[in-house]
Amino acid sequence: MTTGNIQLLGDTLDRAKAEDRAALIAYLPAGFPTVDGGIKAIRAAFDGGADIVEVGLPHSDPVLDGPVIQTADDIALRGGVRIADVMRTVKEAHEATGKPVLVMTYWNPIDRYGVERFVRELAEAGGAGCILPDLPVQESALWREHAERHGLATVFVVAPSSQDERLATITAAGSGFVYAASLMGVTGTRASVGEQAAELVRRTRVTSKIPVCVGLGVSNADQAREVASFADGVIVGSAFVQRILDADGDEAAGLAAVKELAAELAEGVRRTSEQS
């Protein structure tokens, strides 16, 4: 039986911690702007300094995602992206870099595809796990059973509204890391990431030693540095997608912009020692 790369994910987060910094986690949707272009974009993010990449599985009703990622998803879906393309994206990105690649997806596509089939194919592709923003923990037993058997992380999302008891339930069920949504609302870049995120990380850490990575709103090196001062990982999505959209079809310019942003953010997560 093929097993996935949950160990590689854990080792990567541990190595960042040993270097006294946060891990940089980039998010890019599969099939955007094309399947091949999306794979190149992920490689560019890794080349720039990302430690981990989340591959988005494009969805027609992405409830957590703001307009930038919705635009990218729409482009990918109009291009005919399929789950097979998502698996190919994971496989090629991981094989080219040796780095951990996760899938971020809503539950409905997995449910339709078949849990066992999805997990098996993701493990065979060399995936490290799955981020499941809308799967309730109390309904996740089937998924977790298959994911654990195939060596895949199950990453749940917590939010500032999550009660302490709920946080404990989520961290007990999850693996790999916890995705802490820095604020209520949808993805997108923001002027400030805010104090809510730091408090959420503190509350989550009380319940478990599992790494806590923060996303929603981080778009530049200063924000990455701010989040890196209290979180184990900094997750950036919309800012990468926006760079590709801004390139307006010029693939080389888009890839260069993704690599450049990753380098800026990678520097940001490494400057945490400047803050006490």
Side-chain angles (χ1 to χ4, degrees):
M1 182 180 70
T2 307
T3 56
N5 275 307
I6 186 172
Q7 185 67 48
L8 177 63
L9 176 64
D11 291 348
T12 301
L13 289 163
D14 287 346
R15 187 168 61 251
K17 186 175 184 179
E19 293 172 2
D20 194 28
R21 65 177 180 88
L24 174 59
I25 305 174
Y27 166 95
L28 285 158
F32 168 73
T34 62
V35 176
D36 287 341
I39 293 166
K40 290 177 187 174
I42 292 166
R43 291 180 63 173
F46 275 133
D47 288 345
D51 299 289
I52 299 162
V53 166
E54 302 171 7
V55 175
L57 194 159
H59 194 267
S60 55
D61 185 26
V63 292
L64 186 74
D65 296 310
V68 172
I69 290 174
Q70 283 185 24
T71 299
D73 279 5
D74 188 48
I75 290 167
L77 290 166
R78 284 207 311 265
V81 72
R82 294 283 182 267
I83 287 179
D85 299 312
V86 177
M87 298 300 179
R88 183 187 144 211
T89 299
V90 171
K91 182 175 172 37
E92 294 194 13
H94 170 65
E95 285 182 349
T97 63
K99 295 185 177 177
V101 182
L102 300 102
V103 168
M104 185 167 187
T105 179
Y106 296 97
W107 181 245
N108 192 34
I110 294 178
D111 197 35
R112 286 205 311 264
Y113 198 70
V115 174
E116 188 173 4
R117 179 185 176 197
F118 189 95
V119 167
R120 185 182 70 251
E121 291 182 7
L122 182 55
E124 287 171 353
C130 212
I131 301 161
L132 301 160
D134 66 341
L135 176 63
V137 173
Q138 62 270 24
E139 296 173 22
S140 67
L142 177 66
W143 165 269
R144 286 188 287 127
E145 178 191 335
H146 286 295
E148 194 172 327
R149 188 183 305 151
H150 282 273
L152 295 172
T154 297
V155 179
F156 290 113
V157 178
V158 297
S161 60
S162 302
Q163 300 298 312
D164 290 349
E165 188 179 344
R166 174 96 180 134
L167 290 176
T169 302
I170 290 170
T171 55
S175 56
F177 63 90
V178 177
Y179 186 126
S182 65
L183 39 90
M184 305 305 294
V186 297
T187 58
T189 62
R190 287 175 175 79
S192 169
V193 180
E195 292 175 12
Q196 274 189 316
E199 176 63 11
L200 176 58
V201 170
R202 186 195 66 75
R203 289 171 52 225
T204 305
R205 281 192 175 137
V206 168
T207 70
S208 171
K209 289 194 165 35
I210 190 170
V212 185
C213 303
V214 171
L216 271 67
V218 179
S219 61
N220 60 48
D222 287 340
Q223 290 172 334
R225 184 171 67 246
E226 178 193 353
V227 173
S229 70
F230 58 79
D232 299 295
V234 180
I235 303 168
V236 181
S238 296
F240 281 111
V241 172
Q242 189 64 56
R243 293 286 177 108
I244 296 172
L245 290 171
D246 289 346
D248 200 22
D250 182 335
E251 184 180 89
L255 295 175
V258 166
K259 184 176 177 180
E260 178 186 49
L261 176 60
E264 291 169 10
L265 294 165
E267 187 184 344
V269 301
R270 283 166 172 81
R271 293 204 305 252
T272 57
S273 58
E274 293 174 15
Q275 290 189 332
S276 56

